[in-house]
Amino acid sequence: MRHLLSLGLVLLMTSGLFAQKDVYEANWESLSAHNEAPEWFSDAKFGIYFHWGVYSVPAYYSEWYPYFMYRDNKVKEHHIKTYGELSEFNYHDFVPMFKGKQFDAEEWAQLFKDAGAKFAGPCSQHHDGFAMWDSKVNPWNSKDKGPKKDITGLLSKAVKERDMKFIATFHHARNLQRHEGNPDKFATYHSHFAHVPGTATASTDKKIAKMYGNIPADEFNEYWFDQLKEVIDQYSPDIIWFDVWLRMIPLEYRQQFAAYYLNEAKKKDQEVIIAYKQAAIPNTVGVLDIEQGGKRDQSESVWLTDITLSNKSWSYIEGQTYKTPQMVVRNMIDVWSKNGVVLLNVSPTADGVINQEQRDILKRIGEWMKKYDEAVYETRPYSINGFGNAKAEEGDHGGQTAKVKYTAKDARFLKSKDGKYIYLFILGKPAPGSVISTKELGVHKYYPEEGIKKITHMGTDTTCEWGFGDINFELTVPDAEMDDIANVFRMELN
């Protein structure tokens, strides 16, 4: 009888009647019990994603093309001149033109890995209502329309196979039309699409209305959540990242999402991250992201910044220009020194091409990252973030801009997790024989308690001369080949 009871218990457990109970409840107190910034995230330092979607077809002005084409401005003028009146050619008419014939998930994932990224993924849905995955919830998706490919699914597989973490970003909180049909509010900043009579934005066709967010708020909030659940269930992203306007989604839906995501991750033994902007999620539940910039000072908590390789927009547009590898890497080093992680955006064309100019920049970044990988990955901030006098202007979204012009007169620090090394980054190309002098490492300030045993220029493995002036720490740059992006000096501690 005892054996029969044991067998019955096993059958009950395996049949799912004793299924794992949810660990997290849909309230911030319960959700705060999870580790919002797991160690792998601090180790990673660098990830890549991309703005690629229907807006890539017109390739004009920015990824906000659908926002502006229904409002009186130069984008609308361009649209009418190029494609015809809005009553005849709407935003969803671009969908069949978004073919992505040259998209290659394996090749893109390898490109991102070679650039040094430790996590990567797509902009899964922008404000425009088009889902970049195989969706049963959203009729406007990349598997059924446009490329006829499961972009998110293909990228998820390719990224994970290369031992990278997978990120899916969501901007769709802004998709709902929040002007209640009031023409005086059609220009509201809270809705991506204006409600323009005589165009598809005002359509009551259920399918078209979903694209343009022209549905009741309660229905939209469920729709917002259902799409997130679909991506979680199908692709198990390691990071779900939200753009601004997340606070436009009612609190209970944000909490339900977080509980669902964290409980599903727990079942899969997965340490996941919720990234948010502004104050949409408590910092005990998610990781704060600061767009196009970074904190001015060192932070006790890990944070994130999303920056873009391009200068004019996040998506590909005609006439786009790009940052130099020097500017990108030097600003990333500053972020790392302040306990931050960088998410870099690239901009493919509608055909699915990451152009050579961007590839060359990514290649150079990857070469630098490989050369100094010891000093970057699995490191932590030092007692101070650095020294120098570069002018950091205010960023558009808080903190400082991501376009600070650092030079060899600016320096940043990181330290190894085991405490054996300090890494001194010089954000430029110092001249051999010149002296790097700072009181920040002087004996009266932040000189390491263990004392320095040896200093080596990484990349050339050249031993350096160093010592102290009256109050300053002084390091003589050796007669060795200096990197034109940034140079790292490894300080071995006693």
Side-chain angles (χ1 to χ4, degrees), residues 438 441-443 447 452 466-474:
T438 176
L441 275 180
V443 292
Y447 184 72
I452 298 171
W466 61 278
F468 295 96
D470 186 18
I471 60 172
N472 283 9
F473 169 86
E474 296 177 347

Side-chain angles (χ1 to χ4, degrees), residues 92-108:
H92 73 272
D93 292 313
F94 284 120
V95 172
M97 302 165 66
F98 176 47
K99 298 185 181 299
K101 289 183 177 179
Q102 297 189 58
F103 167 72
D104 184 334
E106 297 289 333
E107 198 274 334
W108 283 20

Side-chain angles (χ1 to χ4, degrees), residues 220-481:
F220 176 83
N221 293 330
E222 288 291 344
Y223 181 50
W224 173 87
F225 183 26
D226 287 344
Q227 291 182 87
L228 285 162
K229 285 193 287 189
E230 194 171 50
V231 169
I232 292 166
D233 293 345
Q234 293 174 191
Y235 313 112
S236 302
D238 299 288
I239 306 174
I240 288 183
W241 177 103
F242 292 105
D243 198 5
V244 291
W245 294 283
L246 182 58
R247 289 190 71 177
M248 302 301 292
I249 301 298
L251 176 63
E252 59 266 29
Y253 283 93
R254 283 178 272 150
Q255 292 176 330
Q256 287 172 24
F257 149 74
Y260 186 83
Y261 183 36
L262 297 182
N263 281 319
E264 289 301 303
K266 190 75 174 177
K267 294 173 188 175
K268 302 166 188 173
D269 197 25
Q270 195 180 8
E271 291 183 299
V272 298
I273 294 164
I274 301 170
Y276 68 94
K277 292 183 178 180
Q278 297 165 347
I281 301 284
N283 61 9
T284 54
V285 177
V287 172
L288 174 67
D289 178 281
I290 301 174
E291 183 175 330
Q292 288 282 46
K295 296 195 174 187
R296 290 186 176 275
D297 301 306
Q298 199 172 79
S299 171
E300 288 189 12
S301 58
V302 183
W303 55 282
L304 178 66
T305 179
D306 59 311
I307 64 174
T308 183
L309 202 58
S310 50
N311 287 313
K312 296 182 179 181
S313 73
W314 291 76
S315 66
Y316 176 82
I317 60 172
E318 297 295 336
Q320 183 66 274
T321 61
Y322 304 95
K323 299 172 185 174
T324 64
Q326 287 81 358
M327 175 171 283
V328 174
V329 173
R330 292 171 190 174
N331 278 269
M332 289 202 302
I333 295 169
D334 176 73
V335 169
W336 301 333
S337 74
K338 297 170 182 173
N339 211 14
V341 177
V342 176
L343 175 60
L344 177 67
N345 172 73
V346 296
S347 309
T349 67
D351 285 339
V353 174
I354 299 174
N355 63 18
Q356 194 60 47
E357 193 169 359
Q358 292 180 87
R359 287 175 176 274
D360 289 344
I361 298 168
L362 292 176
K363 180 182 178 183
R364 184 68 186 94
I365 292 172
E367 291 170 349
W368 187 92
M369 297 286 278
K370 185 175 182 180
K371 184 177 181 179
Y372 296 114
D373 60 349
E374 175 195 322
V376 176
Y377 307 114
E378 300 184 22
T379 56
R380 297 293 182 267
Y382 182 52
S383 304
I384 53 170
N385 70 289
F387 56 89
N389 52 17
K391 183 180 180 182
E393 297 179 356
E394 188 73 19
D396 292 336
H397 303 276
Q400 66 184 46
T401 176
K403 294 184 178 181
V404 182
K405 296 179 180 178
Y406 293 108
T407 70
K409 295 182 180 179
D410 300 295
R412 296 293 181 266
F413 294 108
L414 285 169
K415 68 179 181 182
S416 60
K417 283 204 294 186
D418 61 12
K420 294 180 179 180
Y421 301 99
I422 296 172
Y423 302 100
L424 171 63
F425 295 75
I426 302 299
L427 309 186
K429 187 177 182 179
S434 62
V435 176
I436 299 166
S437 180
T438 176
K439 64 181 179 181
E440 301 301 343
L441 275 180
V443 292
H444 296 294
K445 296 199 77 172
Y446 298 100
Y447 184 72
E449 191 101 35
E450 304 89 340
I452 298 171
K453 179 180 179 181
K454 180 181 179 182
I455 301 179
T456 306
H457 176 253
M458 297 183 70
T460 64
D461 201 31
T462 306
T463 302
C464 305
E465 295 181 3
W466 61 278
F468 295 96
D470 186 18
I471 60 172
N472 283 9
F473 169 86
E474 296 177 347
L475 168 65
T476 301
V477 178
D479 186 13
E481 184 178 357

